[in-house]
Amino acid sequence: MSKKNVTVVGSGNWGMAIATIIAGNTARHPEFTDDLTVWMFDEEVQHKGVKRKLSEVFNETKENVKYLPGITLPPHVKAEPDIKKAVANADILIWVLPHQFVARTVQNMGPVKQGAVSVSLIKGGLELEGGKLGLCSDLLRKLLGHEVAVLMGANVANEVAAGEFCEATLGIQSEDHKDMLVKLFDCQTFRVNAVNDIPGVELCGALKNVVALGAGFCDGLDYGGNTKAALIRIGLQEMKTFIRYFYPNVKDATFLESCGVADLITTCFGGRNRKCAEAFIRGKGAKGWDTIEKELLGGQKLQGTLTAQEIWPVMQKHNLIDKLPLFSTIYGIAFEDKAPWTIVKLPQGMPVSAFHKDDGFFEDKDKSK
């Protein structure tokens, strides 16, 4: 069996961090060629007082000085600024770029290798098509014409790159590629569990960024840990309500995987969405989201606000606003000048516990009751 070539499509903070994990595994497992290609959008950076292309600096130093400074990747990782060359020989494509750039990137890269597979690490990109909620992995599947799995989890990029222990969840339908893809990501510091629940894994990854905005609003208002914990719990509940509305067969266990409750917790205590939402509240509306993103994220993109804007018309169309009061309040604070303190004035009457009979978090074992 021929060795598999791997390309990471995207070279931001998370793209470079996951490349450190993948590079270790391509060198360790005989199923893969050692060399790892990273498609790096060519932009100019200041390096040692000189303006140079980011890909050139990376190929000399093995450090992405803009998006993952201070971390040196293995010598067998190569940056390729030409998207067509980067993907031409790839058997496995790892997608790690903002969802708004997916369609254009696929359009620019030309045909992919026959029999290739993809894994999407993209959070967001939800679209309503004919009453069905379409996922970013659906779009990739349609554009590429091959299998697309997803990988989500409690993974703050800098901590992953530094080798701190964490977990992730691989959502995959086909058994054919499961073992190979787990091997590509799983290692001592990055444990991966595979589940046959792509919608559950992917939607948890997208929706937790909306809840993280609420956590950031909390921090901006100087509320304490009790309040933040309550909002995280309510947020998890609303994530489940939203996901189950469109995908009734999502598994309960998925919410307890790294992609569910663990990712939600870490994003609400760290990460860019929480950070920017806190700044939004402390600025008292003086700065818009675009300005905050530019000032705080150093070229990275804010996903929570985009996802909130994507799901809002979906919630309106399907009469979900009253069923999702936290999501609705977060959207109102972020985009409709709603008072930030309303984050703790959610209406009464919503299920108060994961064990509530209407919540459905745990399946009723005795259907006769």
Side-chain angles (χ1 to χ4, degrees):
M1 184 176 159
S2 60
K3 295 185 175 225
K4 304 293 184 187
N5 297 308
V6 184
T7 293
V8 177
V9 183
S11 57
N13 187 229
W14 184 215
M16 297 313 298
I18 201 65
T20 64
I21 299 293
I22 294 170
N25 286 332
T26 57
R28 195 157 58 95
H29 294 299
E31 291 92 336
F32 311 107
T33 55
D34 287 2
D35 293 343
L36 175 65
T37 302
V38 176
W39 173 60
M40 192 168 284
F41 181 77
D42 237 351
E43 52 188 305
E44 288 196 333
V45 292
Q46 282 281 352
H47 183 62
K48 296 181 178 178
V50 181
K51 265 193 176 182
R52 298 187 60 195
K53 288 185 176 178
L54 183 60
S55 61
E56 287 178 4
V57 175
F58 179 83
N59 284 332
E60 280 179 20
T61 65
K62 300 305 173 185
E63 178 188 357
N64 187 320
V65 294
K66 181 168 184 179
Y67 296 111
L68 195 64
I71 300 290
T72 303
L73 275 77
H76 58 277
V77 182
K78 181 194 172 191
E80 174 52 72
D82 185 322
I83 184 65
K84 288 185 178 176
K85 288 180 183 175
V87 305
N89 294 313
D91 300 290
I92 305 171
L93 295 162
I94 311 300
W95 294 83
V96 203
L97 71 172
H99 65 255
Q100 59 268 38
F101 302 136
V102 168
R104 188 171 66 196
T105 303
V106 175
Q107 190 178 10
N108 290 339
M109 71 188 214
V112 294
K113 201 170 177 180
Q114 192 72 28
V117 295
S118 285
V119 183
S120 171
L121 280 64
I122 300 167
K123 297 176 178 180
L126 312 177
E127 288 184 10
L128 201 61
E129 291 181 5
K132 183 176 180 265
L133 186 69
L135 309 173
C136 193
S137 63
D138 294 331
L139 175 63
L140 280 168
R141 217 169 278 117
K142 187 166 129 189
L143 293 172
L144 297 167
H146 64 224
E147 184 184 0
V148 180
V150 298
L151 186 85
M152 308 282 161
N155 310 134
V156 174
N158 289 359
E159 295 175 19
V160 172
E164 295 184 21
F165 176 77
C166 64
E167 299 178 308
T169 312
L170 180 72
I172 184 165
Q173 196 164 9
S174 166
E175 289 289 320
D176 297 343
H177 301 112
K178 184 177 83 171
D179 292 344
M180 176 183 67
L181 293 178
V182 168
K183 273 189 177 179
L184 186 62
F185 294 103
D186 185 74
C187 64
Q188 281 297 113
T189 60
F190 193 82
R191 306 308 304 192
V192 176
N193 186 40
V195 298
N196 184 355
D197 188 5
I198 289 174
V201 173
E202 186 168 355
L203 281 168
C204 278
L207 295 175
K208 56 93 187 181
N209 286 329
V210 178
V211 183
L213 295 178
F217 296 159
C218 241
D219 292 339
L221 292 162
D222 291 316
Y223 292 158
N226 291 350
T227 304
K228 195 171 183 178
L231 290 180
I232 291 170
R233 188 204 66 76
I234 295 166
L236 180 62
Q237 192 166 283
E238 292 199 7
M239 285 165 57
K240 181 202 64 71
T241 300
F242 183 96
I243 293 169
R244 276 267 166 81
Y245 181 87
F246 293 99
Y247 294 92
N249 295 323
V250 160
K251 296 172 181 175
D252 290 339
T254 301
F255 296 98
L256 302 178
E257 289 283 347
S258 180
C259 65
V261 65
D263 195 8
L264 178 62
I265 290 168
T266 197
T267 308
C268 288
F269 282 92
R272 65 187 81 162
N273 296 284
R274 187 220 61 79
K275 180 181 180 181
C276 289
E278 179 182 354
F280 180 78
I281 298 303
R282 295 202 186 279
K284 301 187 188 306
K287 293 178 181 177
W289 290 108
D290 288 345
T291 303
I292 292 170
E293 178 186 82
K294 201 171 289 184
E295 288 181 357
L296 295 185
L297 298 188
Q300 296 178 66
K301 294 296 178 186
L302 189 59
Q303 295 299 316
T305 46
L306 284 175
T307 303
Q309 288 174 304
E310 287 170 353
I311 66 171
W312 181 245
V314 174
M315 287 163 58
Q316 289 177 307
K317 185 175 175 64
H318 289 268
N319 299 315
L320 292 173
I321 290 171
D322 291 340
K323 292 177 183 174
L324 303 168
L326 179 62
F327 282 7
S328 301
T329 301
I330 289 169
Y331 181 85
I333 295 169
F335 298 108
E336 295 182 339
D337 207 25
K338 194 168 184 175
W341 54 262
T342 57
I343 196 84
V344 294
K345 298 292 181 185
L346 301 177
Q348 293 184 328
M350 53 191 293
V352 295
S353 166
F355 294 96
H356 191 283
K357 65 180 176 64
D358 294 330
D359 191 69
F361 209 102
F362 298 99
E363 292 173 2
D364 186 358
K365 302 299 178 195
D366 186 354
K367 301 293 184 185
S368 63
K369 287 184 180 178

